Amino acid sequence: QFGLHAVKAMRFIFDTATGWKNDSISTRQILNRVIYLETVAAVPGMVAAIVRHFRSLRTMQRDGGLLQMFLEEANNERMHLLTFVRMKDPSTLFRAAVIGGQFGFGTIFLMAYIISPQFCHRFVGYIEEEACSTYTKIIDAIETAPEGSELAQWRHESAPKIAISYWKLGTDGTVLDMIKAVRADEAEHRDVNHLVSGLEEGQFNPLYDPQAKLDTMLLKYVKDIMEKPQRSQ
């Protein structure tokens, strides 16, 4: 419960400081918010992966499929950031705030993760719940925005090319489609972190199936071989 209350308090402070109001938001407010939050959201996964990496080196044992999963989570959050900055170039002051936020949050989270990984994953799970809530409200605002408004344009505006490629949105992928994809990612991170918070130290990752991963790699290899142009004799 402490983790939940801590996240709620952080959200209240951040909402108040940034003037975020769920019933009245603009494209500028949305981009400022999600860009900053994604710079922070990419920290926990990388911290978890680094700590587990060094632990694996010290103990000379495998990590049970958790390390790679958190690296992928961190990279996924980074892709969220790289997508949104295609829509708005942050100012120098904004970038300075990002550096400060990363240093402060990153340091605290690293120390906390060394002490209690379970608490940190529960904490991140609650953060992701808030992220899902935020993106849901953004989506609702876009879908209900009156025609001609800035928010309504996102229903038809093409998503950045990086988003279309990463989420495979197709040539008709819109900003709204992209944000829905981001929300789906956050929901997955929410479920994963809540699940991992209940694992005992050394327990195998229930989401990691090495046989399925091998099968996928083999299928891709065979497909590549079949599609490879044959040289004329």
Side-chain angles (χ1 to χ4, degrees):
Q1 292 298 315
F2 175 74
L4 175 60
H5 293 313
V7 170
K8 291 292 185 181
M10 288 173 57
R11 168 148 195 169
F12 175 78
I13 294 172
F14 187 73
D15 287 355
T16 303
T18 58
W20 178 264
K21 296 180 180 179
N22 294 325
D23 58 346
S24 178
I25 53 178
S26 64
T27 55
R28 177 178 173 276
Q29 286 177 307
I30 290 172
L31 289 174
N32 282 339
R33 184 182 185 85
V34 298
I35 288 174
Y36 187 83
L37 291 180
E38 293 296 352
T39 66
V40 176
V43 172
M46 184 58 68
V47 168
I50 290 174
V51 172
R52 291 179 178 278
H53 174 72
F54 280 102
R55 181 183 301 161
S56 179
L57 295 179
R58 290 195 307 272
T59 61
M60 302 182 188
Q61 294 179 348
R62 299 183 64 182
D63 188 58
L66 289 167
L67 192 160
Q68 186 62 38
M69 182 175 68
F70 290 125
L71 277 177
E72 292 173 357
E73 177 182 312
N75 185 59
N76 178 253
E77 298 285 12
R78 184 179 66 91
M79 290 302 296
H80 293 176
L81 171 66
L82 295 180
T83 295
F84 285 120
V85 295
R86 294 298 190 279
M87 301 175 65
K88 176 181 173 63
D89 185 20
S91 66
T92 302
L93 182 61
F94 190 101
R95 293 172 184 271
V98 168
I99 294 173
Q102 282 191 339
F103 179 78
F105 178 72
T107 302
I108 294 172
F109 191 84
L110 173 61
M111 292 188 294
Y113 198 89
I114 292 173
I115 297 171
S116 177
Q118 288 80 6
F119 168 79
C120 287
H121 286 299
R122 182 67 70 187
F123 177 78
V124 173
Y126 289 135
I127 289 179
E128 298 294 359
E129 288 182 14
E130 294 299 323
C132 289
S133 175
T134 293
Y135 281 114
T136 296
K137 289 170 182 174
I138 292 172
I139 290 169
D140 289 343
I142 296 171
E143 292 180 334
T144 59
E147 284 294 340
S149 64
E150 287 186 339
L151 277 175
Q153 292 178 12
W154 282 1
R155 294 199 292 261
H156 315 290
E157 182 181 334
S158 295
K161 291 182 179 179
I162 187 174
I164 291 175
S165 174
Y166 183 70
W167 284 288
K168 297 179 174 58
L169 300 177
T171 55
D172 298 328
T174 65
V175 173
L176 177 58
D177 295 330
M178 176 191 77
I179 294 177
K180 288 181 177 179
V182 171
R183 181 179 62 176
D185 288 343
E186 303 295 4
E188 181 179 354
H189 300 329
R190 173 199 63 200
D191 296 341
V192 166
N193 278 278
H194 279 315
L195 175 65
V196 173
S197 69
L199 297 181
E200 298 295 333
E201 188 62 36
Q203 190 173 348
F204 200 84
N205 179 9
L207 300 175
Y208 177 68
D209 187 345
Q211 185 60 48
K213 187 173 183 179
L214 178 61
D215 291 344
T216 301
M217 292 173 60
L218 290 174
L219 286 172
K220 184 179 184 302
Y221 175 75
V222 172
K223 182 180 179 181
D224 290 343
I225 292 295
M226 296 295 291
E227 294 179 351
K228 187 176 181 180
Q230 298 295 322
R231 293 183 179 180
S232 58
Q233 299 296 327

